[in-house]
Amino acid sequence: MDKSQSTGLLFEISHKDRRCHLLPDCDVPIKSSSELLDKKYLSNQSTGLPEIAEIDLIRHFINLSTKNMAIDCNFYPLGSCTMKYNPKRHERLGSLGGLSNVHPLQDDKTCQGMLEILWEMQNYLGEIAGLDGVSLQPAAGAQGELTALLVAAAYFKDKKEHRTKVLIPDSAHGTNPASAAIAGFDTITIKSNANGRVDMEDLISKIDDKTAVFMITNPNTLGLFDEQIVKITDLIHKAGGLVYLDGANMNAILGITRPGDFGADMMHYNVHKTFTGPHGAGGPGSGPIAVRKQLIPFLPAPIIIKTTDGFKLDYDRPKSIGRVRSFFGNVGILLRGYFYIRTLGPDGLKQVSENAVLNANYLLSLLKDSFDIPHGDRCMHEFVASARNLRKEKKISAMDIGKRLLDYGYHAPTVYFPLVVSEAMMMEPTETESKETLDSFAATLIKIRDEDAEFLHNAPHSLDISRPDEVRAAKEPVLRWKK
Amino acid sequence: MDKSQSTGLLFEISHKDRRCHLLPDCDVPIKSSSELLDKKYLSNQSTGLPEIAEIDLIRHFINLSTKNMAIDCNFYPLGSCTMKYNPKRHERLGSLGGLSNVHPLQDDKTCQGMLEILWEMQNYLGEIAGLDGVSLQPAAGAQGELTALLVAAAYFKDKKEHRTKVLIPDSAHGTNPASAAIAGFDTITIKSNANGRVDMEDLISKIDDKTAVFMITNPNTLGLFDEQIVKITDLIHKAGGLVYLDGANMNAILGITRPGDFGADMMHYNVHKTFTGPHGAGGPGSGPIAVRKQLIPFLPAPIIIKTTDGFKLDYDRPKSIGRVRSFFGNVGILLRGYFYIRTLGPDGLKQVSENAVLNANYLLSLLKDSFDIPHGDRCMHEFVASARNLRKEKKISAMDIGKRLLDYGYHAPTVYFPLVVSEAMMMEPTETESKETLDSFAATLIKIRDEDAEFLHNAPHSLDISRPDEVRAAKEPVLRWKK
Amino acid sequence: MSYLLNTPDDKVDMLKKIGATSIDDLFSNIPDSVRMKRLLDIPKSLTEIELTRHIDLLANANLSAERSVCYLGGGSYDHFIPAVVDTVSSRSEFYTAYTPYQAEASQGSLQAFFEFQTMISQLTAMDISNSSLYEAGSSLAEAILMAMAITGRSGTVLVAETVHPEYRLSFTTYLANLEPKVVTVACPGGKMCLNDLASKLDDSVCCVIVQHPNFFGNLEEVEEISKLVHAKGALFVVAYDPISLGILKKPGEYDADIAIAEGQCLGNPMIYGGPYLGLLSCKEAFVRKIPGRLVGQTVDRNGKRCWVLTLQTREQHIRREKATSNICTNQGLFALRAAVYLAAVGPKGLTETAELCFRKAHYLMDLLCKIPGVKPKFNLPFFKEFTIELPCNAQLIIDSLVDDGILAGLSQARWNPNLVNVMTIAVTEKRTRSELDNYAAAFGAAVNSFIAHDKSKAFKS
Amino acid sequence: MSYLLNTPDDKVDMLKKIGATSIDDLFSNIPDSVRMKRLLDIPKSLTEIELTRHIDLLANANLSAERSVCYLGGGSYDHFIPAVVDTVSSRSEFYTAYTPYQAEASQGSLQAFFEFQTMISQLTAMDISNSSLYEAGSSLAEAILMAMAITGRSGTVLVAETVHPEYRLSFTTYLANLEPKVVTVACPGGKMCLNDLASKLDDSVCCVIVQHPNFFGNLEEVEEISKLVHAKGALFVVAYDPISLGILKKPGEYDADIAIAEGQCLGNPMIYGGPYLGLLSCKEAFVRKIPGRLVGQTVDRNGKRCWVLTLQTREQHIRREKATSNICTNQGLFALRAAVYLAAVGPKGLTETAELCFRKAHYLMDLLCKIPGVKPKFNLPFFKEFTIELPCNAQLIIDSLVDDGILAGLSQARWNPNLVNVMTIAVTEKRTRSELDNYAAAFGAAVNSFIAHDKSKAFKS
Ligand SMILES: Cc1ncc(COP(=O)(O)O)c(C=O)c1O
Ligand SMILES: Cc1ncc(COP(=O)(O)O)c(C=O)c1O
């Protein structure tokens, strides 16, 4: 069905003198800015913003929206992204005026309801992590990583230890090394072994007295739980270092094992993944961190404390690293995380992980005879298949398969990540999908594998556009419309 | 983009033991119904309702929605339906808890805000009609017609006049005769003349002392304002009858002329058309009526009155016909009408009609050289084109054109109505469309006219389905899914 | 004006193309004598900011169920509306579409309505259902018109006195100038008197109307009534509570001919009485007498399953004065909401909801009847709504509980001046035990204070 | 559980296919020693009805701007959000999509972000803008990292003392273990002291950061600062208020190199501080040093215009430790909201909004300064936010106005113990004259009562 009306660029459909949002007349007897302000402050230049009537504005964006895939419409097995269903009750409750209209600098006593929710959330995240202190401040996973690494740096500085290195497995997400760099550390890459786990020999050879932090993702980005974890954390601790857990994959282990229990000293959550914040085509997220007792003094301020006089923001944290952003945190996403945790309860959270892992293993079992799955028959909440053989035999790439899936109404898996598997296709079905969906998705994948290679190179065939010219986009970047 | 996931019938995607809405445990110490109620009251039969998880429920309905055209996506020039833009602020305000959670039987003093809005709405609708009394009770235009005819019947009964006939032009909407029948009247059809107006000779010949009501739509369903109106209403009044105005086309005359001023004694509004209630794929509507002074005593109860003690529902109306439905009326739509009237104000309402008429005339001017437009070069808010010549020359029907428009992302005009024009295509652009939209719509229509006839017979070509077999649907009706 | 797109420049261009000198020129057909010479006398326009402020103030002036605990019933109930219902119904494509006349461009709504028709039929155990009427009162009127057409009888419509007074008034008004007389069947004990029914049933009766549970909340003897009615060749029309069918017998199980209901409780807000949702189901044989729109399944030219509006020859736009009904615009959006609601609760959820209503209502009834002087008005089984007799004027208690943020119930005096001490109370699944306990406590306190007050007055005089 | 789809039967089938004996079996990789032997210690699950009740209660325990009149600013403002913004952002297809990695299945979001980038560039008169960062504080940190990379200087970052203290703290934290020192430029009179700036500017300075209007609401001398900064080869980084650009000079007009802002004011709720929207624009030459995602225009294989994420080699998932930033998840949904907001207000609406803020803020400032003892803290031009000095502790006034339903302003003592009598007040276009009059009256009364109280105390002692 043609839904292209008013989908030209806003600037192209702009029409002089059209209006959407009108403002009231000024009801105070005060001169205008041009009379009251020195001319030097006033702009000489119109903004050039588009002029659009309400109906065109709505048609523009509503019709544009139909060009997206989204969880509410399509199965979205994007590995590492935990694209689980976003409950609708969260949107209703999160937009209650009593929550969404709270100003970040209101005095504590005027927002006790908000503080109570966030205080509880601190506690829940500590309990789920098996760690002692929580900061809800970081805006996303990457900022959580940075925050925790800054905490670690401050901790070592406080102990007067000069540790400069952060060790990171080669299968880690790119944010890990990037965060380490900003935190002022040198990054040392640790190899994965043939089983997709940490290569212990390589690790041991790289641990020394400059080792500040070992960052591990566990389950890792291959969807594997590294059973060496206790050994690893012991090694790091013995060397005087700290272990950081990248919590992007917490969806596999809620209530089953806790990072604090297997030796992590710090971790971040991706609340927008594990606790189902809507992804909004890129964000927002929320990346709270949890840390072991000795690191608590260094957490950013404020932290919420409960006093006999109600809940309070505690800024009195002399050893704190400071803050990594203005205001409290990405509260809107934290609220959704709270709603989710309260809806599921302890049994429910555990079942989330059980079913996430069940679904991933089931999908794996459906595909393993048809696709190359380098790391065995079992996985946690996701697994990585590879198109390397298909590529060799039939010139079909992971990209081709991903693009062709779009034609069938399925979002592509994460492709070409993690970097340690060539032609990687990383699939994470999540627990909110049904067996029926997994069955038809697997059947489709198997069907695609047998489709004509040339046809696949040109996929997708039924979407709004065919494959875009990415090289051109990068070579002569056009990052904005111009007249 | 394939958006078919979970769009099988709910009963087909139902899966035993799946749940969406869960209920709390019972927190009161009371036995269950099976223990407290005699067995004879209890059902022995399961409902058979589908069992669906939340994600599938959402995908089902969201994906189904993409198979609809709608104003928010497409130009929708459906004549007689006034498919104008539905402002988004209305939905926000109409769903405020302080309005949507008011119970219909609350005592007046606990809902003064609601009563104030509705009282104002009574007044506005009286002023716009140029009539003296208003009932907001009817649920839609058709019920408004019935209510007004029942009021007329009660009025004549009260005057002890035995009048049995309702005169209705042949171009009238089907609800007019249908309502007259339920109100107990005989319907007499009045011919249209060659200009699409009331045939005065026919009218005069049919007026007699049994004439109760003349129902006129003005502007009529051909989009023409009958300039004989004053003469007509005089004739009816002289014969002791009442004039009813079908207000479906009020969008053409807001603030320009008033039914009461041109001689109508009663009228209904389609608030969902003129004052932009969202149509919801069929409803709800709201069909308040306005009447002249002598008819006020017969209006349904209650009416809102303003007293020194606040707003009150006045049930003390001894001559009232009673009620035509439970509770106050279709308040949700009346609220939207109120929001709209308050947003536009007196100038704005007049401009609505000016621009509705301007747009219709502009569209007419773009099409008149390419299409047969039986009733001249000018119109009010809509006009009727005919495919009768195209049908003769190229075997292209109004239906073919309408169906083909769907391929281009435009909703079809109203086809085959009014019945007085063969191969009618009734187009009502409304004031909320832009010149650009009208230009491209007209260009598309002209293009379609020149397309291959066979191709048009098989249109639409790009929608979810091709033309349905309506004969089969009616012959062996399948009105529900069965196992 | 953000809803008017033509700018001054546009207007100039458009008028030129039209060949008109001014916009006024386009209205030249309207006789000058009847043209308005002034602006409408309505308040001046408000921007969104101003309108929002204005409506916020008025909305806050209502003691809505959002800010109170609501025990009002009588056809409209404070049931919980799952968020999914709002999510779906606010989809632009459902919300801003017209009636699905162009089936090819409306398969979304058509399929949803077909599902709605199916679920209402499943719920009621009736053969078929239409795709909505306005609300319950006029739906009963439509049911009577149907019954007249089906039975060919137009003498009498029998209706239980326990049917909602506003429903009775509604169909009586519809029938004002038609043949049938509406005759009330007495309900002295709070439900239809079977003897009175038997005495009034004869060959001229086209249908008998019962509400079950009835306006007082009591259950009617529907099975026995059904037999009596059918024995005389009349149709049995029942008005049911959709939520009650989670536990109670379904209209189809006791052989109702036409079942109607108020569908507000199925995911629709109370919003001061409307828009609501008239549900109408009936036996298969009556299909061509059904009022309102019907969605039917068929195939397209490629044999693909699809849905269309069907049997339109019943309707006013084709049959005009001979149509089965005058209805055109219906309650499509609310039918959609009900469909989402029913699919969301599912069979188990509906039963659990009904059971919660039932148990909480009975708990509250027990609590209230422990208050000295308060007793059940009837000793009849009920579902979620019940009627009690107080030792004082019910309206006084209702007024006094407003200060506690409680909308306590309906005084029956509103409809029957003989029932000043009688109050009907509805309890939904939303109510918690602590709300019920608080309510009973506040209720008891209010009753006591009025009795004390009365006593002291009596003493003084 | 409505979010878990596998029924007991499903599980049996699935485990069979997997070849596992139990779900537990799937977790056998996790050493038993670290497996939880108990359930998590969090509260038991709540149904939607219970959760809704629970959250309603907590939400009502906040004095939100919905139930009060809000004069708080400091980076978050109670501007009006047109309904269209919510309508668009709640579309499932925008709301529940991931980052648009698969361009073919994401053209809706990609085009919207391209429009966002364009509008932010138009607004600021800057060459290019990215498609969002977290919020203003960390955006300044990103700007500094950029400036270091562009200038190759890593000695000093100069920042005006009038920059939001939380922004200053944020980037200082980011820089904790990197080379540059953060040096504050004094602002004794409420704006940056140009002499102090000149004295601190040398070849090691990579950038100078100014907020305009600044944390006290005052306008800075951005044109002169810009010249000074550029004369020393440093970059000029400005934090602006997007709404102010309806009237004030745009960063591009005074030759800013990098312009960042808090985009909350562009159609996003205050929601206790986040998610917000970091805006970052810069000169074209810096394009390959930009942090975060960029959407670029290109064509597909058929030459059709389309949009993609581009220049990804700047980003962490490709460049890892050498990336321009560590950001991955950004604020896409809020960028979309800002795009809808900007398109809805348009050029005239933005100017009118800015003008309303300006005039109402000045009106209130005038009113307040008529109260004996209240005076402007600075005599500088301001936009929508201003700072006054009171004859008493500002916090006392703030606390006392809470009872009038007024969130009166920010006590500067929170950030600077020397400023106990100083208060900063923000006024948006939502405020009406009567609200402002009421506020001034309540403010005056509160001030008077505290002074009287102090006097009487003084008298007594
Ligand atoms: C394994 C892993 N680590 C870290 C991140 C970064 O988290 P965020 O995108 O919330 O910054 C992600 C997600 O993108 C991830 O998948
Ligand atoms: C001319 C005319 N009269 C009456 C009606 C009936 O109004 P409603 O559909 O609101 O019952 C309509 C609309 O459908 C109409 O177009």
Side-chain angles (χ1 to χ4, degrees), chain A residues 80 140-142 145 173 175 246 248 268 270 272-273, chain D residues 98 328-329:
Chain A
S80 204
E145 297 168 12
H173 195 262
T175 49
D246 179 330
H268 79 258
N270 300 73
H272 45 303
K273 299 179 180 180
Chain D
Y98 202 75
C328 175
T329 290

mmCIF file of all heavy atoms in Angstrom, chain A residues 80 140-142 145 173 175 246 248 268 270 272-273, chain D residues 98 328-329, ligand 1:
data_model
loop_
_atom_site.group_PDB
_atom_site.id
_atom_site.type_symbol
_atom_site.label_atom_id
_atom_site.label_comp_id
_atom_site.label_asym_id
_atom_site.label_seq_id
_atom_site.Cartn_x
_atom_site.Cartn_y
_atom_site.Cartn_z
ATOM 1 N N SER A 80 23.267 -9.683 20.605
ATOM 2 C CA SER A 80 23.898 -8.741 21.516
ATOM 3 C C SER A 80 22.987 -7.569 21.866
ATOM 4 O O SER A 80 23.320 -6.774 22.726
ATOM 5 C CB SER A 80 25.227 -8.200 20.942
ATOM 6 O OG SER A 80 26.045 -7.761 22.007
ATOM 7 N N ALA A 140 24.217 5.006 29.387
ATOM 8 C CA ALA A 140 24.155 3.819 28.531
ATOM 9 C C ALA A 140 25.285 2.895 28.946
ATOM 10 O O ALA A 140 26.102 3.245 29.814
ATOM 11 C CB ALA A 140 24.286 4.200 27.060
ATOM 12 N N GLY A 141 25.323 1.737 28.324
ATOM 13 C CA GLY A 141 26.351 0.770 28.662
ATOM 14 C C GLY A 141 27.755 1.329 28.541
ATOM 15 O O GLY A 141 28.585 1.169 29.440
ATOM 16 N N ALA A 142 28.013 2.007 27.442
ATOM 17 C CA ALA A 142 29.355 2.535 27.222
ATOM 18 C C ALA A 142 29.740 3.516 28.323
ATOM 19 O O ALA A 142 30.863 3.507 28.821
ATOM 20 C CB ALA A 142 29.439 3.213 25.854
ATOM 21 N N GLU A 145 30.609 1.603 31.392
ATOM 22 C CA GLU A 145 31.990 1.085 31.335
ATOM 23 C C GLU A 145 32.990 2.160 31.738
ATOM 24 O O GLU A 145 33.858 1.948 32.588
ATOM 25 C CB GLU A 145 32.333 0.641 29.903
ATOM 26 C CG GLU A 145 31.489 -0.496 29.378
ATOM 27 C CD GLU A 145 31.663 -0.692 27.871
ATOM 28 O OE1 GLU A 145 32.600 -0.099 27.286
ATOM 29 O OE2 GLU A 145 30.860 -1.420 27.273
ATOM 30 N N HIS A 173 33.036 -6.236 22.891
ATOM 31 C CA HIS A 173 32.362 -5.162 22.177
ATOM 32 C C HIS A 173 33.313 -3.975 22.068
ATOM 33 O O HIS A 173 34.126 -3.742 22.958
ATOM 34 C CB HIS A 173 31.118 -4.768 22.969
ATOM 35 C CG HIS A 173 30.149 -3.934 22.198
ATOM 36 N ND1 HIS A 173 30.097 -2.572 22.304
ATOM 37 C CD2 HIS A 173 29.185 -4.280 21.317
ATOM 38 C CE1 HIS A 173 29.124 -2.109 21.522
ATOM 39 N NE2 HIS A 173 28.556 -3.125 20.911
ATOM 40 N N THR A 175 32.960 -0.911 22.544
ATOM 41 C CA THR A 175 32.901 0.108 23.596
ATOM 42 C C THR A 175 33.923 -0.167 24.689
ATOM 43 O O THR A 175 34.398 0.770 25.330
ATOM 44 C CB THR A 175 31.502 0.174 24.225
ATOM 45 O OG1 THR A 175 31.088 -1.151 24.552
ATOM 46 C CG2 THR A 175 30.505 0.801 23.263
ATOM 47 N N ASP A 246 31.134 -6.863 31.586
ATOM 48 C CA ASP A 246 30.251 -6.184 30.637
ATOM 49 C C ASP A 246 28.907 -6.912 30.704
ATOM 50 O O ASP A 246 28.800 -8.069 30.309
ATOM 51 C CB ASP A 246 30.863 -6.276 29.229
ATOM 52 C CG ASP A 246 29.993 -5.624 28.168
ATOM 53 O OD1 ASP A 246 28.751 -5.605 28.326
ATOM 54 O OD2 ASP A 246 30.556 -5.145 27.162
ATOM 55 N N ALA A 248 26.115 -6.678 29.192
ATOM 56 C CA ALA A 248 25.178 -6.659 28.064
ATOM 57 C C ALA A 248 24.418 -7.970 27.938
ATOM 58 O O ALA A 248 23.322 -8.004 27.391
ATOM 59 C CB ALA A 248 25.913 -6.346 26.767
ATOM 60 N N HIS A 268 28.440 -3.189 34.396
ATOM 61 C CA HIS A 268 27.348 -2.302 34.018
ATOM 62 C C HIS A 268 26.171 -3.158 33.570
ATOM 63 O O HIS A 268 26.343 -4.305 33.156
ATOM 64 C CB HIS A 268 27.752 -1.326 32.893
ATOM 65 C CG HIS A 268 27.761 -1.926 31.515
ATOM 66 N ND1 HIS A 268 28.916 -2.306 30.866
ATOM 67 C CD2 HIS A 268 26.752 -2.214 30.648
ATOM 68 C CE1 HIS A 268 28.619 -2.802 29.665
ATOM 69 N NE2 HIS A 268 27.314 -2.764 29.511
ATOM 70 N N ASN A 270 22.872 -3.028 30.859
ATOM 71 C CA ASN A 270 22.184 -2.292 29.812
ATOM 72 C C ASN A 270 20.696 -2.445 30.126
ATOM 73 O O ASN A 270 20.057 -3.408 29.700
ATOM 74 C CB ASN A 270 22.471 -2.871 28.429
ATOM 75 C CG ASN A 270 23.951 -2.832 28.095
ATOM 76 O OD1 ASN A 270 24.717 -3.620 28.647
ATOM 77 N ND2 ASN A 270 24.354 -1.937 27.223
ATOM 78 N N HIS A 272 18.273 -0.966 29.049
ATOM 79 C CA HIS A 272 17.465 -0.941 27.825
ATOM 80 C C HIS A 272 17.460 -2.280 27.113
ATOM 81 O O HIS A 272 16.634 -2.515 26.242
ATOM 82 C CB HIS A 272 17.959 0.167 26.890
ATOM 83 C CG HIS A 272 19.453 0.219 26.741
ATOM 84 N ND1 HIS A 272 20.303 0.369 27.812
ATOM 85 C CD2 HIS A 272 20.250 0.152 25.653
ATOM 86 C CE1 HIS A 272 21.560 0.387 27.378
ATOM 87 N NE2 HIS A 272 21.548 0.261 26.075
ATOM 88 N N LYS A 273 18.390 -3.165 27.440
ATOM 89 C CA LYS A 273 18.355 -4.500 26.851
ATOM 90 C C LYS A 273 17.708 -5.467 27.834
ATOM 91 O O LYS A 273 16.607 -5.948 27.634
ATOM 92 C CB LYS A 273 19.768 -4.979 26.525
ATOM 93 C CG LYS A 273 20.487 -4.092 25.520
ATOM 94 C CD LYS A 273 21.901 -4.600 25.235
ATOM 95 C CE LYS A 273 22.568 -3.685 24.216
ATOM 96 N NZ LYS A 273 23.920 -4.114 23.886
ATOM 97 N N TYR D 98 15.659 -0.979 16.632
ATOM 98 C CA TYR D 98 17.024 -0.797 17.126
ATOM 99 C C TYR D 98 17.739 0.216 16.236
ATOM 100 O O TYR D 98 17.162 0.739 15.277
ATOM 101 C CB TYR D 98 17.761 -2.145 17.132
ATOM 102 C CG TYR D 98 18.941 -2.156 18.089
ATOM 103 C CD1 TYR D 98 18.731 -2.245 19.458
ATOM 104 C CD2 TYR D 98 20.242 -2.059 17.627
ATOM 105 C CE1 TYR D 98 19.802 -2.231 20.338
ATOM 106 C CE2 TYR D 98 21.317 -2.044 18.506
ATOM 107 C CZ TYR D 98 21.094 -2.124 19.869
ATOM 108 O OH TYR D 98 22.151 -2.115 20.738
ATOM 109 N N CYS D 328 27.849 4.412 22.001
ATOM 110 C CA CYS D 328 27.208 3.430 21.125
ATOM 111 C C CYS D 328 25.721 3.776 21.134
ATOM 112 O O CYS D 328 25.278 4.612 20.348
ATOM 113 C CB CYS D 328 27.509 2.024 21.646
ATOM 114 S SG CYS D 328 26.680 0.707 20.758
ATOM 115 N N THR D 329 24.932 3.209 22.056
ATOM 116 C CA THR D 329 23.546 3.647 22.228
ATOM 117 C C THR D 329 23.536 5.156 22.422
ATOM 118 O O THR D 329 24.313 5.692 23.210
ATOM 119 C CB THR D 329 22.940 2.949 23.470
ATOM 120 O OG1 THR D 329 22.778 1.561 23.166
ATOM 121 C CG2 THR D 329 21.600 3.545 23.857
HETATM 122 C C1 LIG E 1 28.489 -6.563 24.600
HETATM 123 C C2 LIG E 1 28.164 -5.114 24.647
HETATM 124 N N1 LIG E 1 28.861 -4.295 25.433
HETATM 125 C C3 LIG E 1 28.593 -2.970 25.521
HETATM 126 C C4 LIG E 1 27.604 -2.415 24.772
HETATM 127 C C5 LIG E 1 27.415 -0.944 24.842
HETATM 128 O O1 LIG E 1 26.231 -0.577 25.478
HETATM 129 P P1 LIG E 1 25.474 0.755 25.073
HETATM 130 O O2 LIG E 1 25.091 0.613 23.643
HETATM 131 O O3 LIG E 1 24.318 0.792 25.989
HETATM 132 O O4 LIG E 1 26.379 1.908 25.280
HETATM 133 C C6 LIG E 1 26.829 -3.243 23.931
HETATM 134 C C7 LIG E 1 25.679 -2.761 23.147
HETATM 135 O O5 LIG E 1 25.608 -2.090 22.242
HETATM 136 C C8 LIG E 1 27.124 -4.611 23.858
HETATM 137 O O6 LIG E 1 26.424 -5.419 23.064
#
